[in-house]
Amino acid sequence: MIRPTSVAELQAVLADEKPLWVCGLDTKRRFRAAPPPEATLVSMAGLAGVIAIHPEDQVAVAWAGTPLVEFQEALAEHGLRLPILGEWRMGGAGWHAAGMPGTLGGWLAMDMPHVWPGYGPRRLLLGATVLRGDGTIAKAGSQAVKSVAGYDIHKFLVGTRGTLALFLQIIVQALPLGGGPPLVEYESGVSNGPVEAILTTTPTGFADALARHASITVVRAPATQTLWLSGSALAGEGDRVVAATPVRDARAVWPGGARVPHAERKLMGMAKAAFDPERRFNPGELGL
Amino acid sequence: MPTRDALVDAMERLVGADAVLSQPGALKAYDCDAYSLDRATPRVVVLPSSREQVRDIVRWCLDADVPFTPRGAGTGLSGGAMDALGGVILSSKRLNRILDIDVPNRRLWAQAGAVNLHLTQAVEADRLHFAPDPSSQSVCTLGGNIAENSGGPHTLKYGVTAQHILALTLVDPDGEIITLEAGGPGFDFVSLVVGSEGTLGIVTDAWVRLTPTPEAVRTALIAFPTVAGASQAVAAIIASGVIPAALEMMDRQILAALRAAFGLDYPEGTDALLLVECDGCDADEVDAEMAVAASIANDQGALQVQIAHTRAERAALWTARKKGIGAMGWIAPTIITHDGVIPRSKLPEMLEFVATVAEEHGLMVANLFHAGDGNLHPCIAFDDRDPAQVEAVIEAGEKILRRCIELGGSVSGEHGIGVEKIDLLQEMFTADDLRLQADAKRIFNKGGLCNACKVLPNQKGCLEHRRRWRGVAT
């Protein structure tokens, strides 16, 4: 696997004809498609480091390859944190919270589950610089916590799994340590609770474990490992644990189960054609 | 392009004569939104009452090569609802129904023309509300909120419109009805459509998230002897970990206007007012948060801290914020409210810059803004019958927004780009950045008919119309 340590080096790899299969620290391989044999495997983890933390504005700028754990430590030195939940892992009798493996870019590209209502990655991500398939670099957003200047491309790229462009640098809003509603501590297993949730990017085993739980209805989208949970669901503190969209009966909201609707599937193809027409980035991911 | 008569006939066949406006007097009312420096009269205004009618109108326009522009209540502040090329305006006036209320799942389904405040009123009894609360919320529409990604004072805590849209249906620029869901499998196209200013299609209806109405609300109005003191209090409150529901500032000129218009009075020597609102489920916690804010304010030299506990007391304190712009109307024939964002630590520096620019151009400027977000609203008073003053206002506004870019901020926090800020967008972003945006637009909109000439610069056939919009050419 190639691990460029400068943007120029990454651009040089891209200049080669082969498509790139891109990861950060490769901690989410099991959620992804298999790389095509002809692809060059590239890790973004060499483009790492915190660029600036502005505690007075609660804004931080970092390379996308920065490990999440390092980023949180750097923020903590300024009394700040990124309010996100760690990843789920299967192990022993059930699943458990496994801290925060991976990088900032991976967190955004894969759109990991989060627990703060209203504080998903699309709210926290204020701006980004990205590498495009033709080798150019473009930015979207700004360091302001609120902006409606043009289309929110940086937010749209969240969850697109590096199929359209690659995050190079990101600008995020951080929150004070100890401020706001408490982050819920997940100890282990599934317990009854009043919460419904949608989780994305969960391991297959997690879905099976949940499905065996009598009080939970699970609807899943195998392509994206998205789960819709109804009935009682995750452990937590009541309404504070709603992950993305509270849904009592997921199937009523998304008729036809969890398949990507035809119109959206078509738009995904059009997005790929508009952003990465040469299919340089992660071909085959999400079926694109 | 068909003749106007042919256009009117066609629209009447599609939606009925009572849903088509074509008299010059009626059309005049649609020549601009709340940004009035640029104007263009549409050839016809249509009031569809279903998704299918919207689709049929769009398809007819595509066949006949006629530009079309969606419009809500016309309260937008950057010209997004102006019919730039002289075609059809699709008004959402008759798409104003609430279609379903789902209290257990805290969501509501409404048509695009439903009024923002009506959504909240429909679920008030269930202690729920629709969180985005732009100043125009008593008239502005859900579709407009989606187009502009509207904010408001309480978005500091609850987030802007994008955080509150669960799914939406739009008629895309090819005339197809499509439904998009946020947080579903696949790409999140909702995050692209919200804030796209009606350039990616015409939203006909949406499921919105309902937010529990906080049980306990405390509001404080704090008087400061200096703007710098108030700005420092803002930074310190945010840094303390308290996330107020709203954190709003008003400067000396707004106070003068409030005094002139409504006889409101504030302590001697007040140069800035800060409105702080904290809310939550637990009254003790909210009181504790407010105590932190009040103590910070006192440390920063506050002259007076008034805390309201009842709804009536709160309303009285909010008067200063809500009537501020209206009060400006009492002291000048025309006002224009600008919209820029900066990192909030730059507030004192920026306010000084705004004052200097106003002085250079001989203009009266007042500031009333979302301090917690760093979202400025310099409000410039002038007489729009005097071309020299209009010129000065435009120049001053551009200087202020350029400074926002230099300070790492944005040329718009909540009003959008529309036609007003297209040039400034080119200063905020490079050609490569704008190409990225153009590629995103191309996913939905490959032609030049759906809300043409908005947001992105250099659209085909737009440049030559700009002098016409400004009223300096025909």
Side-chain angles (χ1 to χ4, degrees):
Chain A
M1 188 178 297
I2 300 175
R3 192 177 156 124
T5 53
S6 71
V7 174
E9 234 177 279
L10 177 61
Q11 283 169 315
V13 177
L14 184 62
D16 184 17
E17 293 298 294
K18 290 199 228 165
L20 309 190
W21 188 262
V22 186
C23 68
L25 287 167
D26 203 19
T27 59
K28 298 172 185 67
R29 185 188 296 178
R30 69 191 181 287
F31 306 127
R32 302 185 59 185
E38 74 278 14
T40 305
L41 306 186
V42 177
S43 163
M44 300 290 282
L47 293 163
V50 175
I51 296 162
I53 294 178
H54 304 287
E56 67 286 7
D57 296 318
Q58 295 170 0
V59 168
V61 189
W63 288 95
T66 310
L68 271 171
V69 172
E70 267 177 41
F71 187 62
Q72 292 285 32
E73 282 167 3
L75 288 176
E77 283 174 29
H78 296 274
L80 298 171
R81 66 172 167 179
L82 197 58
I84 60 170
L85 174 71
E87 196 177 309
W88 301 100
R89 283 284 169 88
M90 283 297 292
W95 51 270
H96 62 281
M100 273 177 236
T103 62
L104 274 171
W107 162 59
L108 295 169
M110 299 296 282
D111 193 8
M112 298 304 289
H114 55 274
V115 291
W116 276 23
Y119 278 98
R122 290 185 186 83
R123 180 162 178 191
L124 295 168
L125 182 66
L126 305 177
T129 306
V130 299
L131 178 68
R132 309 206 51 193
D134 62 3
T136 58
I137 292 167
K139 74 167 188 302
S142 71
Q143 291 198 22
V145 296
K146 189 174 169 192
S147 174
V148 291
Y151 304 105
D152 281 337
I153 312 296
H154 50 302
K155 297 179 193 253
F156 170 60
L157 290 176
V158 171
T160 58
R161 299 185 170 212
T163 55
L164 304 181
L166 305 182
F167 286 116
L168 292 174
Q169 288 182 5
I170 60 136
I171 307 170
V172 289
Q173 182 180 9
L175 293 178
L177 272 174
L183 267 185
V184 175
E185 297 294 331
Y186 286 81
E187 286 170 359
S188 66
V190 180
S191 70
N192 288 327
V195 178
E196 292 78 37
I198 291 173
L199 299 179
T200 54
T201 334
T202 49
T204 316
F206 177 34
D208 293 337
L210 286 173
R212 282 197 295 274
H213 200 275
S215 60
I216 298 174
T217 306
V218 179
V219 178
R220 65 183 93 174
T224 57
Q225 287 295 354
T226 302
L227 305 183
W228 286 263
L229 311 180
S230 59
S232 57
L234 301 178
E237 294 181 3
D239 291 337
R240 286 179 175 163
V241 205
V242 175
T245 310
V247 178
R248 197 126 296 175
D249 180 354
R251 280 160 299 192
V253 185
W254 282 275
R259 277 177 296 116
V260 178
H262 176 71
E264 282 187 30
R265 173 54 66 185
K266 193 172 143 203
L267 281 173
M268 285 170 70
M270 281 151 76
K272 182 72 175 174
F275 278 80
D276 182 24
E278 310 280 324
R279 301 183 75 244
R280 304 306 314 284
F281 295 140
N282 296 311
E285 186 68 271
L286 290 172
L288 292 168
Chain B
M1 181 87 82
T3 65
R4 205 169 72 89
D5 286 346
L7 188 54
V8 171
D9 280 352
M11 291 301 129
E12 288 184 351
R13 275 199 306 278
L14 291 175
V15 296
D18 74 319
V20 177
L21 305 176
S22 58
Q23 295 304 314
L27 296 179
K28 185 83 187 127
Y30 289 84
D31 73 356
C32 67
D33 54 20
Y35 167 74
S36 58
L37 288 180
D38 290 315
R39 293 166 187 264
T41 308
R43 299 210 300 162
V44 62
V45 174
V46 192
L47 313 169
S49 46
S50 69
R51 284 176 181 174
E52 290 70 26
Q53 285 190 348
V54 173
R55 178 198 59 199
D56 294 346
I57 295 163
V58 166
R59 285 185 176 176
W60 191 92
C61 288
L62 290 171
D63 283 344
D65 201 28
V66 171
F68 52 95
T69 304
R71 182 182 174 105
T75 56
L77 287 155
S78 55
M82 183 186 85
D83 178 15
L85 297 180
V88 174
I89 280 187
L90 286 96
S91 163
S92 63
K93 199 163 271 179
R94 294 189 182 176
L95 287 164
N96 60 356
R97 283 182 301 135
I98 291 172
L99 301 169
D100 195 3
I101 297 173
D102 180 3
V103 170
N105 293 307
R106 292 180 187 161
R107 57 192 190 126
L108 176 152
W109 184 24
Q111 290 180 313
V115 170
N116 172 301
L117 193 59
H118 295 175
L119 306 187
T120 289
Q121 285 167 347
V123 292
E124 237 166 6
D126 296 297
R127 308 285 306 153
L128 295 170
H129 72 291
F130 179 55
D133 59 342
S135 299
S136 53
Q137 72 176 145
S138 60
V139 286
C140 70
T141 62
L142 173 60
N145 295 166
I146 291 172
E148 303 297 320
N149 194 8
S150 301
H154 289 90
T155 52
L156 173 62
K157 180 170 180 176
Y158 294 103
V160 291
T161 301
Q163 269 89 46
H164 302 277
I165 302 301
L166 302 174
L168 55 82
T169 300
L170 84 163
V171 174
D172 75 10
D174 295 328
E176 296 296 330
I177 297 175
I178 52 178
T179 295
L180 302 170
E181 289 131 15
F187 294 175
D188 190 344
F189 289 103
V190 171
S191 67
L192 200 53
V193 171
V194 176
S196 63
E197 305 192 24
T199 61
L200 304 186
I202 301 179
V203 173
T204 56
D205 50 84
W207 278 101
V208 307
R209 184 195 304 281
L210 298 173
T211 303
T213 305
E215 300 292 327
V217 184
R218 303 285 180 268
T219 307
L221 192 64
I222 306 170
F224 286 92
T226 62
V227 167
S231 304
Q232 274 149 17
V234 168
I237 290 169
I238 297 277
S240 74
V242 170
I243 303 175
L247 194 47
E248 303 279 308
M249 208 196 291
M250 291 135 279
D251 74 357
R252 183 175 55 219
Q253 283 75 16
I254 291 283
L255 303 191
L258 285 165
R259 199 171 284 135
F262 304 113
L264 294 176
D265 219 355
Y266 302 99
E268 184 72 31
T270 301
D271 218 22
L273 282 178
L274 192 62
L275 186 138
V276 186
E277 189 158 280
C278 295
D279 67 17
C281 339
D282 182 315
D284 292 339
E285 270 178 35
V286 177
D287 281 332
E289 284 186 350
M290 192 48 100
V292 170
S295 138
I296 288 169
N298 285 322
D299 289 347
Q300 298 295 339
L303 297 170
Q304 186 189 51
V305 179
Q306 281 177 275
I307 298 181
H309 290 84
T310 67
R311 187 183 266 238
E313 287 170 3
R314 282 208 309 278
L317 296 190
W318 269 99
T319 307
R321 172 65 182 84
K322 294 204 166 160
K323 301 237 177 180
I325 298 276
M328 290 291 290
W330 285 62
I331 57 178
T334 317
I335 51 167
I336 184 160
T337 305
H338 281 290
D339 170 43
V341 203
I342 46 163
R344 76 196 137 221
S345 61
K346 306 282 199 280
L347 273 177
E349 179 184 345
M350 187 68 207
L351 290 172
E352 208 166 295
F353 182 81
V354 169
T356 310
V357 168
E359 205 178 304
E360 277 169 18
H361 290 270
L363 296 166
M364 207 282 253
V365 65
N367 289 288
L368 165 153
F369 54 96
H370 311 308
D373 293 323
N375 188 181
L376 292 172
H377 287 316
C379 177
I380 301 178
F382 67 110
D383 185 343
D384 70 352
R385 293 163 298 190
D386 175 359
Q389 282 194 44
V390 172
E391 202 57 43
V393 166
I394 292 170
E395 266 180 39
E398 288 183 355
K399 276 187 193 168
I400 291 167
L401 292 169
R402 278 195 194 101
R403 188 82 185 127
C404 289
I405 301 173
E406 286 165 15
L407 294 174
S410 166
V411 296
S412 181
E414 52 189 18
H415 295 177
I417 300 302
V419 291
E420 182 197 9
K421 291 181 177 171
I422 284 182
D423 291 343
L424 287 158
L425 201 67
Q426 298 183 80
E427 295 187 31
M428 184 168 164
F429 293 115
T430 65
D432 279 340
D433 302 342
L434 290 169
R435 193 165 56 81
L436 184 72
Q437 301 216 15
D439 286 346
K441 178 177 175 182
R442 211 147 47 81
I443 301 170
F444 286 86
N445 186 354
K446 294 177 184 67
L449 296 177
C450 180
N451 209 4
C453 310
K454 311 293 167 63
V455 186
L456 292 180
N458 305 321
Q459 291 178 53
K460 204 175 139 213
C462 294
L463 208 57
E464 57 267 36
H465 287 275
R466 296 180 67 177
R467 288 169 60 79
R468 175 173 66 86
W469 303 336
R470 202 45 64 90
V472 290
T474 49

